[in-house]
Amino acid sequence: MHVLVTGGAGYIGSHTVLQLIAAGHDVTIADDFSNAKPTVLPRLEELAGQPIKLHRIDLTDQTATDALFAAEDFDAVIHFAGFKAVGESVAKPLDYYQNNLDTTFSVLRAMDAHGVRRFVFSSSATVYGENPVLERTEDMPTSATNPYGWTKVMVEQVLRDLAVADDSWRIALLRYFNPVGAHASGRIGEDPSGLPNNLMPFVSQVAVGRREKLAVFGDDYDTVDGTGVRDYIHVEDLATGHVAALEKIAAADEALSVWNLGSGDPVSVLQVVQAFARASGREIPYEVVPRRAGDLAAYWADPSKANRELGWKTTRDIDDMCVDTWRWQSQNPNGYPEA
Ligand code: WQD
């Protein structure tokens, strides 16, 4: 299939692009580079062993998006494009609602107009909000505790209503847990701009000497060692999950499906720190500080629905995730070159 990957120059998008090509699909990337550097593209082409079509585009612009669909003949869309920083979304709610909803509406409108019906949406475990059942299953109610999370809940609702209105759509909602890690080559990886919001890139930058120490947000949770527990999933396993979901909906009869993409293995902050120290051979200095507002103590995936229906499961553990992250970080201490 010819697949449009929106946000394909980003962290998860770039890894998914490589796996789509390896699976025999044609790929076109659409990205505005608001959260990615153009220098990722030559590395992707080097790893793919072929040129990769790229359109630098503002997907909130319906005219430009329609023109893209008129110029190319897509069979499917994987939609990663969107702002994703929880804290930033609290500070800039209008930016987050407008960008994350408008990009999605613009792409869906263009798909509808051009008869493209296969749509894989980059959702997030954040849509589970607070729930006393820590192992999340796809039938749980959705809610959010921040504007970023609400944009995911809202887009999921739009897609459910679209699937009811027109069952010719083939839609997959993929709920990621905590994506970490990097391509085994060390040539592509996670390259957050500014101070990393997320744990793994922060630990990695401490190990490589870019940051002095890690702040551990609370060690008084009711967990194995008092620190926050999450379900970390290697970005390569996540990418494989996208290829499996796309091929599943292309052959299935359901108008909309929902799958958790997670390992099902709960891991604490301190366990990540210890695994990273093993992987890098570096000390990871840290200081325990008060809890971060909005953080939940613990949650992880029940991935059995995806295991069963997609024939997919994670293959890499937290040590693999740290080894691959460290290879990327140590080979690229400052991330991708600017230009
Ligand atoms: C993980 C654990 C922190 C940083 C968020 C979004 C989610 C998805 C992934 C986009 C928690 C602790 C973290 C630090 C720390 N993003 N931590 N010190 O919050 O589980 O999920 O990112 O799709 O939607 O909600 O990820 O990596 O920020 O935190 O102690 O400097 O690490 O308290 O327990 P989170 P995270």
Side-chain angles (χ1 to χ4, degrees), residues 12 84-86 122-127 146 148-149 152 176-180 196-203 214-218 221 227-230 232 269 291-292 295-297 299:
I12 303 170
K84 52 157 273 183
V86 171
S122 167
S123 191
S124 167
T126 206
V127 304
N146 58 73
Y148 160 74
K152 295 300 183 183
Y176 315 156
F177 284 72
N178 289 57
V180 296
N197 298 297
N198 298 134
L199 177 66
M200 187 67 86
F202 204 108
V203 168
L214 170 74
V216 173
F217 298 147
Y221 288 107
T227 64
V229 165
R230 295 291 186 273
Y232 296 94
V269 172
R291 297 178 176 187
R292 176 171 65 175
D295 272 355
L296 300 179
Y299 60 90

Side-chain angles (χ1 to χ4, degrees), residues 8-339:
Y11 172 43
I12 303 170
S14 57
H15 287 79
T16 303
V17 161
L18 290 183
Q19 294 219 15
L20 285 165
I21 291 169
H25 297 289
D26 295 325
V27 171
T28 294
I29 292 174
D31 207 302
D32 66 358
F33 291 102
S34 62
N35 194 26
K37 293 179 188 151
T39 44
V40 68
L41 200 81
R43 296 194 181 191
L44 280 181
E45 293 183 325
E46 165 204 320
L47 292 166
Q50 64 181 66
I52 298 173
K53 264 193 283 186
L54 165 81
H55 291 268
R56 186 167 193 148
I57 179 176
D58 172 5
L59 291 170
T60 64
D61 177 339
Q62 184 73 69
T63 304
T65 307
D66 282 330
L68 173 61
F69 276 75
E72 303 275 0
D73 182 17
F74 298 127
D75 300 304
V77 174
I78 301 185
H79 184 46
F80 291 105
F83 296 159
K84 52 157 273 183
V86 171
E88 187 182 53
S89 79
V90 176
K92 301 177 179 176
L94 282 182
D95 291 355
Y96 268 69
Y97 285 115
Q98 183 158 23
N99 182 70
N100 289 7
L101 296 175
D102 281 0
T103 48
T104 307
F105 295 151
S106 170
V107 168
L108 290 172
R109 287 276 189 203
M111 289 177 72
D112 198 23
H114 291 83
V116 183
R117 288 287 186 282
R118 296 167 183 138
F119 186 72
V120 176
F121 177 60
S122 167
S123 191
S124 167
T126 206
V127 304
Y128 290 115
E130 297 211 52
N131 192 309
V133 178
L134 302 184
E135 188 169 73
R136 305 306 202 210
T137 52
E138 290 87 349
D139 57 346
M140 285 179 171
T142 58
S143 67
T145 55
N146 58 73
Y148 160 74
W150 279 118
T151 68
K152 295 300 183 183
V153 171
M154 290 174 180
V155 169
E156 286 199 359
Q157 187 56 54
V158 167
L159 293 171
R160 288 181 189 285
D161 291 340
L162 181 58
V164 168
D166 176 353
D167 66 4
S168 69
W169 284 88
R170 293 291 178 269
I171 295 167
L173 308 182
L174 300 185
R175 293 171 175 170
Y176 315 156
F177 284 72
N178 289 57
V180 296
H183 190 270
S185 65
R187 297 286 290 153
I188 63 171
E190 187 172 10
D191 183 19
S193 52
L195 200 64
N197 298 297
N198 298 134
L199 177 66
M200 187 67 86
F202 204 108
V203 168
S204 182
Q205 289 188 14
V206 169
V208 82
R210 274 178 72 179
R211 308 284 168 195
E212 183 204 347
K213 64 181 170 185
L214 170 74
V216 173
F217 298 147
D219 67 351
D220 56 352
Y221 288 107
D222 179 15
T223 63
V224 60
D225 55 22
T227 64
V229 165
R230 295 291 186 273
D231 179 324
Y232 296 94
I233 174 173
H234 196 295
V235 66
E236 288 284 77
D237 284 331
L238 187 60
T240 310
H242 282 74
V243 178
L246 175 67
E247 292 174 353
K248 177 74 176 180
I249 64 171
D253 295 333
E254 287 77 29
L256 182 135
S257 308
V258 190
W259 290 294
N260 282 341
L261 294 187
S263 66
D265 302 328
V267 174
S268 77
V269 172
L270 290 183
Q271 288 169 341
V272 170
V273 170
Q274 290 146 15
F276 210 93
R278 288 194 298 272
S280 63
R282 302 284 175 91
E283 278 306 300
I284 311 289
Y286 67 87
E287 178 191 357
V288 179
V289 301
R291 297 178 176 187
R292 176 171 65 175
D295 272 355
L296 300 179
Y299 60 90
W300 57 91
D302 172 347
S304 58
K305 188 167 185 280
N307 301 160
R308 188 174 63 251
E309 296 178 0
L310 299 179
W312 166 91
K313 70 190 305 288
T314 55
T315 61
R316 298 161 176 94
D317 65 15
I318 194 65
D319 288 309
D320 300 321
M321 295 174 209
C322 291
V323 164
D324 291 342
T325 301
W326 178 238
R327 187 181 303 107
W328 149 256
Q329 189 75 78
S330 55
Q331 289 179 13
N332 305 273
N334 296 309
Y336 291 108
E338 281 303 331

